[in-house]
Amino acid sequence: MSTASAAYSIGTPGTPWGDVERDEWLSRQTRQRSYESDVLSVVERLCSGFDVQEYGHLEYGPDVYPLMAIRSRDWRVDRPVVLITGGVHGYETSGVHGALQFVEQHAADYVGRVNLLIAPCVSPWAYERIHRWNANAVDPNRSFHGDGEAKESAALMQLVASIDEPILLHIDLHETTDTDETEFRPALASRDGKTFEPGTIPDGFYLVDDTESPQPEFQQALIKAVEKITHIAPADDNGKILGSPAAARGVIQYPLAQLGLCTSMTNARYRTTTEVYPDSDRVTPEQCNAAQVAAVCAAIDYALSV
């Protein structure tokens, strides 16, 4: 669990960033891992059993990234759609690898039952730089609306809008890390000319439900599945998780559409955002990936059972 109070090193307190500050921020971002090796190579390997679709591409300077989706090969109009997204925030590693691991290990279990659509790495530029934002210092997970500035979000929304079949479930795979408090929230406050107010990072796994259309039994089915793999984040002394009141054990609620979050882009009956905590000394990267996979399987099983 992390807390922080240091001011961010870019910008003038109280003044939103302009082009100079954004350019300085961008100059500090360096590639630390490979989208091609970690994601595209796995997607290519999956072509033998699934349809693979390039639904867009990103160009940031000399860097070009194809945006890839994995689809059920036996897609049928009389089956509901299950949408799985990962890597909306590129630094949230298990969201990407958990989505791919689900396809490799469990997607075959659902053949003939649902149409699967998986976008495992929505923000590849950020994945390579282990960052929350895209190259324009924009958060894709606040951009899922008509006026959104993130090309990553716009491409995914266009893909989803092309689907005619009803979407039953959307699960978006995320992490909450210690760097949220030490880097990303201070950067956000500086970018927007606001004062950074330190907080604490929840110690464990939790879910984000929709304030406007909650599904408490669905959320708890996922919590029960995941707690077999990793610990569930407790509420703090004020009954909150990451500053929001705990609606139930391991669950908070956000107004998804108001915030432009990824899970707001469909009218699926069942929607949730996972939040794995990879910085705990009680978990390994493998457990983080497994927790994401368990959440996906539990979500599909619940949605098909009711």
Side-chain angles (χ1 to χ4, degrees):
M1 188 181 303
S2 173
T3 60
S5 58
Y8 200 64
S9 59
I10 296 174
T12 302
T15 303
W17 288 3
D19 291 342
V20 171
E21 290 81 11
R22 289 176 186 270
D23 288 346
E24 181 181 355
W25 171 84
L26 182 60
S27 72
R28 298 186 184 186
Q29 309 311 313
T30 59
R31 182 182 284 108
Q32 302 181 58
R33 55 189 178 185
S34 170
Y35 173 66
E36 182 174 2
S37 297
D38 295 354
V39 179
L40 296 183
S41 65
V42 179
V43 172
E44 183 177 0
R45 188 167 71 239
L46 294 169
C47 286
S48 61
F50 300 88
D51 290 338
V52 173
Q53 174 183 357
E54 181 175 334
Y55 65 91
H57 72 278
L58 303 173
E59 296 183 10
Y60 288 121
D63 299 320
V64 179
Y65 300 95
L67 297 171
M68 307 305 295
I70 302 161
R71 300 172 63 112
S72 297
R73 179 152 292 167
D74 64 332
W75 192 284
R76 283 180 39 171
V77 297
D78 58 345
R79 293 182 187 140
V81 176
V82 168
L83 174 62
I84 303 164
T85 49
V88 175
H89 290 142
Y91 74 103
E92 295 171 1
T93 305
S94 70
V96 175
H97 295 286
L100 293 169
Q101 188 170 310
F102 165 79
V103 178
E104 291 186 292
Q105 297 181 353
H106 295 283
D109 299 340
Y110 300 98
V111 169
R113 303 170 66 192
V114 297
N115 297 317
L116 291 172
L117 178 63
I118 303 102
C121 190
V122 175
S123 298
W125 182 93
Y127 174 83
E128 291 196 330
R129 288 151 183 84
I130 314 182
H131 211 286
R132 184 178 179 91
W133 295 340
N134 67 15
N136 298 320
V138 172
D139 186 342
N141 204 36
R142 296 297 185 273
S143 301
F144 285 90
H145 50 77
D147 298 326
E149 299 179 53
K151 293 179 285 187
E152 295 84 352
S153 309
L156 184 60
M157 287 191 292
Q158 186 174 13
L159 170 66
V160 172
S162 71
I163 298 170
D164 294 326
E165 294 74 28
I167 298 177
L168 175 65
L169 162 67
H170 179 191
I171 181 168
D172 190 30
L173 310 181
H174 284 250
E175 295 181 342
T176 303
T177 72
D178 287 347
T179 53
D180 282 36
E181 194 67 13
T182 59
E183 168 64 24
F184 300 125
R185 291 187 64 245
L188 174 64
S190 179
R191 186 198 69 181
D192 295 347
K194 298 180 179 179
T195 301
F196 171 56
E197 298 181 1
T200 58
I201 298 299
D203 186 359
F205 178 93
Y206 65 101
L207 296 168
V208 181
D209 197 1
D210 186 7
T211 303
E212 305 304 319
S213 182
Q215 291 286 345
E217 294 182 0
F218 166 70
Q219 308 293 338
Q220 285 304 304
L222 276 62
I223 292 294
K224 291 177 181 177
V226 171
E227 69 180 342
K228 298 174 183 177
I229 297 168
T230 188
H231 56 292
I232 305 305
D236 63 21
D237 293 341
N238 296 315
K240 296 182 177 181
I241 299 174
L242 203 69
S244 295
R249 179 170 176 257
V251 180
I252 60 174
Q253 297 175 349
Y254 283 169
L256 303 181
Q258 179 182 326
L259 294 175
L261 302 185
C262 184
T263 43
S264 73
M265 68 174 169
T266 80
N267 292 319
R269 179 178 181 183
Y270 300 108
R271 295 177 290 171
T272 195
T273 301
T274 66
E275 295 287 355
V276 169
Y277 179 50
D279 294 316
S280 171
D281 57 9
R282 297 165 59 184
V283 300
T284 64
E286 292 75 21
Q287 284 174 297
C288 291
N289 294 344
Q292 301 281 22
V293 173
V296 172
C297 292
I300 300 174
D301 291 344
Y302 183 92
L304 292 176
S305 70
V306 294

